Amino acid sequence: MTIAASPLSPSTGTVDTHCPYCALQCGMRMTGTGIQPRDFPTNRGGLCQKGWTASTLLDSPGRLTSPLVRVDGELRPASWDHALDLVANRVIDLQARHGRDAVAVFGGGGLTNEKAYLLGKFARVALGTAQIDYNGRFCMSSAAAAGTRAFGMDRGLPFPVADLRAADAVLLVGGNPAETMPPFVQHLRGAELIVVDPRRSATAELATLHLAPAPGTDLALALGILHAVVADGHLNHDYLTTRTTGFDDVWRVAAAWWPERVERVTGVAAADQRAAAAMLAAAGNAYVLTGRGTEQHARGADTVSAWINLALALGLPGTPGSGFGCLTGQGNGQGGREHGQKADQLPGYRKLDDPAARAHVAAVWGVDPDSLPGPGRSAYELLDSAPKGLLVFGSNVLVSAPHASRIAGRLSEVDLLVVADVVLSETAAVADVVLPVTQWAEEDGTMTNLEGRVLLRRRAVTAPSGVRTDLAVLRGLATRLGQPADRFPDDAERVFDELARASAGGVADYAGISYDRLRDGAALHWPVPSADHPGTPRAFLDGFAFPDGRARFVAVDHSGPAEPPDDEFPLQATTGRVLAHYQSGAQTRLVPELMAAVPEAYVEVHPDTATRAGVADGDLADVTSRRGTVRARVRYVPSIRVDLVFLPFHFPGAARANLLTNPALDPTSRMPEFKVCAVRLEAVT
Ligand code: SF4
């Protein structure tokens, strides 16, 4: 299969590329810094406001163009040699005094596959530290854990996005693509849409049926709908018999969650639960999709498992025209979790504690398998451990990590904080050394989009002098740490070829993917085990990724949020994204059009709740949890539940939503409970 337009050479002045932001990876055409949308299967000519304005950051006044080194408390420009020598010497000293694991690495889900791969290799080989994780732990790790235990493989969407156009019904849980990835919504237009979200979001406005459970109760809702599927005769017995195992254990739990009981816990009418079950069962083609609202809980992996169980009971996963999938958020959220920047992982989605995996990857790297460290701490635990040295690539943890005040305190205890970034993010601003790096349109690299398709993003413009690629930074540090230069190439295509070899035979097998195939326009969804393999756009049609080919039902039960409301904190807060901003906002807050659209933090409140708190629409108010207070402007939203407030998480300082959030971690995925915490609302005095 080929796409209509293939990337052109940068020398022509026009390059077909992809948006730098979210995992939809919309196709765009760049002429110089001019952007036009492109007809690509995920966006079909659409772009959101972030995509249209993406090139603003290429020559933004906020762009970093020189390394910075802290001297007498101030960040001052320095030469690259000075900055890299300083970092390497401090790392050597810290590791000599405190051990290899005293220096940690923190990556990002926006990094290209090549960067994520080389970062993992740098940590395990050049630093010899077990302590590496990344901000994708905050985004998709619960979906990854649940997908792996049910299907034997974690690929967010195991089918192309365009397949959704033929759906008759779609159940979308905890996702708001109308705001976070608007071009995606066109693929849902032909389906009856059921949306599960405690807020009446922009996506819920499009739904045939909107189910608004109390925050932290969606696992119970999934059990109630599953109960209705069974009780009302919608169970797909043939599929259960031939393609799954474990239903009886799941039913033992779900049998006790009849819809009327679930209504008392969730607030969702029993009739609506039965209606959702009937709509999905009646559809010829049906999908269940989940997003961050499902995952970002202290029991997020179990919650995703509950929705997978529902999809399996209906016979959807691995059935042509139907399926189950998780919507990935970050631009390379999928590839970023496959190639070794995760604490427990080696390239190709291999496990770091698997001797065969260690031997394979060590052979590609030319090192002794026994020299590779074991699994390290998860993202929040890594930051909370206050390592002696911390190297951050493409992440703004001061804004994006939960319990932000605690993380700020822990970072202040780090002896050497190094941040490689495009702009002076809030985390870079407190670093000891800041390394300015190239961004999307200034470098070659691959991204793996939300449907597991590997995309080539080619250099379209020349980077400002003074910046280097992340690959060059890693090479510069690795050689200063005594590694041979050949082991850390800074050419993206060479790194990719090595990544492909390292992934060969793994779950996420890129062995048959090459820049040449991507340049020729091939649509390659992994696994692609050989150079003549056409790719796997639709996984699981012939069986799931277990030796017996069967999907696993996983028995899970409702337990509610880690921090229920009480007299002192009677409301619940949830956080999320808005159309105009992306992640911590470090980039989008430098784009004037986006700041004009949403210039400051706000808190969505039901008017009755606001009145009780003595605040009016447009007032500044304080939202306080057990961990901190956020000051934000009140927005009346009559459709929001009276027991809920919503805050976007893109803003810094006293407006950081993560000052409130609860770092209670999922026992399986180690993902924090971003989506619900107990708060109170007060007028500013
Ligand atoms: S939907 Fe995502 S990929 Fe598409 S233009 Fe917007 S931010 Fe970029």
Side-chain angles (χ1 to χ4, degrees):
M1 177 179 171
T2 57
I3 56 173
S6 62
L8 303 177
S9 162
S11 62
T12 66
T14 297
V15 174
D16 285 355
T17 186
H18 297 271
C19 174
Y21 294 113
C22 84
L24 199 59
Q25 286 294 289
C26 293
M28 54 173 58
R29 176 163 293 171
M30 288 190 71
T31 305
T33 55
I35 286 176
Q36 288 296 319
R38 183 163 65 90
D39 185 16
F40 187 73
T42 60
N43 63 310
R44 300 230 168 159
L47 288 179
C48 78
Q49 195 179 13
K50 296 187 290 294
W52 277 108
T53 57
S55 64
T56 305
L57 213 59
L58 293 169
D59 53 7
S60 163
R63 185 74 193 278
L64 291 170
T65 54
S66 168
L68 303 172
V69 169
R70 192 168 295 281
V71 179
D72 297 333
E74 278 184 22
L75 284 172
R76 296 189 187 157
S79 72
W80 272 100
D81 275 344
H82 176 66
L84 294 177
D85 287 348
L86 177 73
V87 173
N89 290 335
R90 294 289 311 279
V91 163
I92 290 167
D93 175 59
L94 289 170
Q95 290 193 314
R97 287 194 287 134
H98 304 287
R100 293 276 199 167
D101 283 354
V103 176
V105 177
F106 199 95
L111 301 177
T112 62
N113 289 318
E114 293 80 357
K115 295 178 189 180
Y117 169 80
L118 207 66
L119 195 62
K121 182 179 177 182
F122 173 79
R124 272 97 187 203
V125 175
L127 293 176
T129 181
Q131 304 311 331
I132 173 170
D133 210 50
Y134 79 124
N135 65 17
R137 180 74 64 180
F138 299 155
C139 298
M140 283 290 291
S141 56
S142 289
T148 299
R149 68 188 182 189
F151 307 126
M153 180 177 116
D154 156 40
R155 202 180 90 189
L157 297 184
F159 48 80
V161 165
D163 282 9
L164 294 167
R165 299 178 89 85
D168 300 307
V170 174
L171 171 65
L172 174 58
V173 191
N176 185 15
E179 190 128 14
T180 58
M181 49 174 70
F184 176 85
V185 174
Q186 62 184 301
H187 302 290
L188 304 177
R189 295 272 182 217
E192 293 227 89
L193 184 60
I194 307 164
V195 170
V196 176
D197 195 319
R199 300 166 61 216
R200 188 151 183 88
S201 65
T203 310
E205 289 285 350
L206 306 172
T208 307
L209 181 60
H210 173 208
L211 311 178
T217 66
D218 26 348
L219 200 161
L221 180 60
L223 289 167
I225 299 175
L226 175 61
H227 188 107
V229 164
V230 177
D232 297 347
H234 304 311
L235 194 60
N236 189 328
H237 291 279
D238 287 347
Y239 179 93
L240 251 59
T241 304
T242 58
R243 302 208 57 186
T244 71
T245 64
F247 177 73
D248 290 349
D249 290 341
V250 166
W251 177 242
R252 264 190 281 280
V253 178
W257 286 98
W258 56 94
E260 284 74 14
R261 181 186 175 203
V262 169
E263 178 177 337
R264 288 195 291 278
V265 172
T266 65
V268 176
D272 285 346
Q273 297 170 51
R274 294 192 172 95
M279 284 168 67
L280 290 168
N285 295 327
Y287 291 84
V288 175
L289 305 176
T290 61
R292 299 301 79 69
T294 320
E295 291 187 67
Q296 291 177 326
H297 295 281
R299 295 286 305 283
D302 283 357
T303 307
V304 178
S305 286
W307 294 107
I308 293 176
N309 290 340
L310 174 65
L312 289 171
L314 291 161
L316 307 182
T319 296
S322 294
F324 173 88
C326 294
L327 298 176
T328 300
Q330 291 197 79
N332 199 28
Q334 179 71 53
R337 66 182 188 267
E338 297 167 356
H339 297 300
Q341 61 175 333
K342 213 170 170 183
D344 57 350
Q345 206 181 67
L346 287 169
Y349 228 123
R350 287 184 157 90
K351 299 292 286 180
L352 191 49
D353 56 7
D354 172 3
R358 294 169 67 89
H360 172 84
V361 174
V364 174
W365 289 351
V367 300
D368 179 351
D370 291 339
S371 71
L372 299 178
R377 298 185 178 95
S378 74
Y380 180 80
E381 294 163 297
L382 184 154
L383 297 171
D384 194 37
S385 72
K388 295 292 179 189
L390 178 62
L391 279 55
V392 180
F393 287 75
S395 192
N396 187 13
V397 295
L398 268 188
V399 179
S400 62
H403 198 172
S405 60
R406 180 175 175 89
I407 294 304
R410 301 304 270 163
L411 288 194
S412 72
E413 298 168 26
V414 171
D415 287 348
L416 173 68
L417 178 61
V418 181
V419 174
D421 210 328
V422 170
V423 298
L424 194 69
S425 69
E426 285 70 24
T427 310
V430 300
D432 300 296
V433 180
V434 180
L435 303 172
V437 290
T438 49
Q439 50 179 313
W440 61 292
E442 299 162 351
E443 59 188 14
D444 291 332
T446 60
M447 307 283 278
T448 304
N449 76 357
L450 76 172
E451 53 187 11
R453 177 173 170 172
V454 181
L455 309 170
L456 181 59
R457 271 198 336 211
R458 298 191 63 198
R459 185 173 62 80
V461 298
T462 303
S465 64
V467 307
R468 293 188 180 178
T469 66
D470 296 83
L471 301 181
V473 170
L474 292 172
R475 179 186 173 94
L477 288 174
T479 52
R480 284 169 171 80
L481 294 169
Q483 291 293 311
D486 255 17
R487 191 175 279 162
F488 286 89
D490 60 1
D491 174 72
E493 186 167 358
R494 231 183 111 193
V495 175
F496 186 87
D497 288 345
E498 186 185 304
L499 177 163
R501 289 200 306 283
S503 76
V507 173
D509 191 336
Y510 284 39
I513 306 176
S514 65
Y515 270 38
D516 278 344
R517 290 187 80 183
L518 296 173
R519 273 192 282 260
D520 287 345
L524 296 173
H525 301 73
W526 67 259
V528 189
S530 62
D532 58 357
H533 191 282
T536 312
R538 293 168 190 85
F540 310 142
L541 294 183
D542 298 328
F544 298 95
F546 290 110
D548 62 4
R550 290 169 178 266
R552 271 57 173 162
F553 279 96
V554 177
V556 291
D557 205 351
H558 168 72
S559 60
E563 187 179 70
D566 56 19
D567 289 347
E568 196 182 353
F569 300 99
L571 303 174
Q572 290 180 301
T574 193
T575 66
R577 282 168 52 189
V578 301
L579 193 156
H581 289 287
Y582 183 69
Q583 302 300 76
S584 76
Q587 297 168 61
T588 51
R589 284 186 270 115
L590 292 176
V591 178
E593 293 92 328
L594 301 179
M595 280 303 279
V598 182
E600 62 176 356
Y602 59 86
V603 53
E604 291 186 358
V605 187
H606 191 282
D608 292 349
T609 307
T611 301
R612 273 198 297 278
V615 296
D617 195 31
D619 284 356
L620 281 174
D622 284 341
V623 184
T624 300
S625 78
R626 286 183 173 80
R627 290 156 293 280
T629 296
V630 170
R631 183 158 293 182
R633 202 163 294 284
V634 171
R635 275 193 190 178
Y636 276 5
V637 176
S639 63
I640 199 168
R641 295 173 59 104
V642 293
D643 55 1
L644 182 67
V645 298
F646 167 82
L647 301 101
F649 54 56
H650 312 288
F651 296 94
R656 266 176 299 173
N658 279 317
L659 288 166
L660 305 174
T661 49
N662 185 358
L665 301 181
D666 181 282
T668 306
S669 69
R670 315 306 286 165
M671 178 183 261
E673 185 151 274
F674 286 103
K675 280 296 184 221
V676 55
C677 65
V679 298
R680 63 172 177 262
L681 178 73
E682 295 164 307
V684 173
T685 53

